[in-house]
Amino acid sequence: MEHKVLRMDESIFDLVSRHPEIADIMVELGFRDIAKPGMLQTAGRFMTLSKGAKLKKIDVGAIKQTFLQHGFDLTE
């Protein structure tokens, strides 16, 4: 299975636009706000995975591992 590469500094809106399944992975990781109506179109346009991890105090290693399990490689 070929892994898709994602950048940690790309907006969540752009990531989810390209790969809609990312929204479910993010909810699984604890980014529950992404599922709220309108959040992706507003905050998601400037929020990145890096910023979100810091804001939610979610370990970047855990994020990378979870995305890897779903077929995504994360780069800084």
Side-chain angles (χ1 to χ4, degrees):
M1 176 177 166
E2 187 175 323
H3 286 255
K4 300 168 198 142
V5 179
L6 306 175
R7 290 193 344 266
M8 292 285 292
D9 62 351
E10 193 171 355
S11 80
I12 292 171
F13 177 83
D14 289 342
L15 294 173
V16 174
S17 294
R18 275 202 329 274
H19 306 284
E21 66 273 26
I22 288 175
D24 292 333
I25 299 169
M26 292 187 66
V27 170
E28 174 187 329
L29 280 164
F31 296 100
R32 288 171 184 73
D33 294 339
I34 200 77
K36 292 179 182 173
M39 283 299 280
L40 185 60
Q41 287 75 22
T42 55
R45 289 189 184 272
F46 63 86
M47 185 62 66
T48 65
L49 277 175
S50 295
K51 290 179 188 175
K54 286 179 188 157
L55 186 70
K56 295 283 188 180
K57 295 178 175 54
I58 299 172
D59 179 57
V60 173
I63 293 172
K64 287 183 177 184
Q65 187 61 40
T66 302
F67 271 92
L68 192 60
Q69 292 169 349
H70 289 278
F72 294 95
D73 282 324
L74 289 179
T75 62
E76 297 297 324

